[in-house]
Amino acid sequence: MAKVKVLIEGYAKESENGWIASSTTCLIISDDKKIITDPGCNREKLLSALKKEDLTTGDIDYVFLSHCHPDHILLAGIFEKAKFVTFDGNLVYDNDLSLKFDKDILRKDVEIVETPGHVIEHLSLVVNTSDGKDHAQAKGMDMKVLIESRKKLLEKADFIIPGHGKMFKVKKLD
Ligand SMILES: [Zn+2]
């Protein structure tokens, strides 16, 4: 079973002449691997969140990137030993080597799910955790496709960790 911890709760608000936004960042521990999801674009917050976990940028094995927007990916490069699991043709980058990723690359408790809609190549994770509950990361502009992707995640997960904003529990109808 894997563990998920929200390190930074993402935010997005309009400012006078633009936006103030950075993504939610999670730490997933899966077997012996440490995975960071969407490192975002706030360097100070990211470094202090890692410090709180007693981690340095060199401790991270994988960085998962959900999609190509700068508020989710700008800081990806600070993890000097990590491999990057990305939306870009579903590739894993290891320095200058890029290969199609194996679906179990983040270990069997972390499933990579295609969730198009916000952008066509969007990916999310569904994580099996010890309390038998799943967590997922998703964000939602193809509304029709986006709604289908959200339905898919809502069926799979008990908790949703969105790209910006608070984690919430999925209400299941049965
Ligand atoms: Zn985006």
Side-chain angles (χ1 to χ4, degrees), residues 22-23 25 35-43 46-47 50 56-58 60-87 93 95:
S22 190
S23 64
T25 302
I35 304 157
I36 287 284
T37 69
D38 284 359
C41 56
N42 187 325
R43 181 180 292 263
L46 181 62
L47 291 176
L50 287 170
T56 67
T57 51
I60 302 305
D61 301 290
Y62 289 99
V63 175
F64 167 80
L65 302 171
S66 66
H67 68 292
C68 58
H69 290 161
D71 57 325
H72 292 252
I73 66 171
L74 275 188
L75 291 170
I78 72 172
F79 299 97
E80 56 267 46
K81 290 183 191 152
K83 293 178 179 147
F84 297 85
V85 175
T86 76
F87 46 82
Y93 281 80
N95 289 308

Side-chain angles (χ1 to χ4, degrees), residues 17-31:
N17 40 19
W19 284 83
I20 300 173
S22 190
S23 64
T24 291
T25 302
C26 293
L27 170 67
I28 299 172
I29 300 185
S30 179
D31 293 338

